[in-house]
Amino acid sequence: MPKSTFYRISEEKQNRIMSAARKEFLSVPYSEVSINRIIKEAEIPRGSFYQYFDGKEDLFYFVLQENKNSLLRTATREIEKTDGDIFKGIENHIDRLVEFIYYDNSGKVRMLFSEPWIFETIWMAVMKEKTCEGSVSNSLISKIDCSLLDIDSEEELMLLVSILAAVLKDSIGKIFVCSDRIDEAVAKDMIRAKIHTLKRHYSKKINGN
């Protein structure tokens, strides 16, 4: 996260630095990100950069934090629309999810999947934040209607959410890598099949409980 000095500079300068950072992280895989290109784009001295951030990793986590919260807010809205039905919320969002991968967002997907550890880092941050009252991830979990699910505890709910996250991560990663060989319809069906399998196992209605 940024050092306190970052928050003491003008908002215009903060925005300039973050705009340059987003552009760089969305343009190339993490391993190829260049601090030199970021400071040149932001028009700041190299020494100033290290007054605001410890380094590339520190800046990257800050950019990821913004994207993570945006994704969680979107997921929360989808669950609210379906009265807490987590499976229906995901199913309703599959078309948009696949379109996100195929159209004009390759940079964002690359940022998340260019290195194996990146998504895991985001997910661990989500799980850690879940314990914080009023957090974005805690808000998402609270919207899930557990009475629709064949689970007996919060631990089982968290396990289900973790499994869903892993399934979506794996699906998005494979679709992104193979997007030139898999058309949208196939990609959507692939995700739906996986979600339906989990729904069949975890849904009380389908299990007849």
Side-chain angles (χ1 to χ4, degrees), residues 8 20 38 53 61 64 70 77 80 85-86 89 92 108 116 135 144-145 159-160 162 172 185 194 203 206:
R8 292 202 291 268
I38 292 174
F53 297 91
Y61 285 158
L64 283 182
S70 176
R77 287 195 299 269
E80 284 182 318
D85 189 331
I86 187 172
N92 289 351
K108 289 185 179 180
S135 68
I144 299 172
D145 185 353
L159 175 61
L160 170 59
S162 296
I172 295 169
K194 293 179 179 180
S203 171
I206 291 179

Side-chain angles (χ1 to χ4, degrees), residues 153-194:
S153 65
E154 184 176 357
E155 287 72 24
E156 288 189 39
L157 173 61
M158 297 308 299
L159 175 61
L160 170 59
V161 172
S162 296
I163 292 170
L164 284 167
V167 166
L168 290 173
K169 181 203 89 166
D170 181 67
S171 298
I172 295 169
K174 286 179 179 177
I175 292 169
F176 177 64
V177 171
C178 303
S179 59
D180 59 334
R181 302 189 298 278
I182 300 177
D183 65 29
E184 290 177 62
V186 172
K188 292 173 183 178
D189 287 344
M190 181 178 75
I191 298 177
R192 285 194 181 97
K194 293 179 179 180

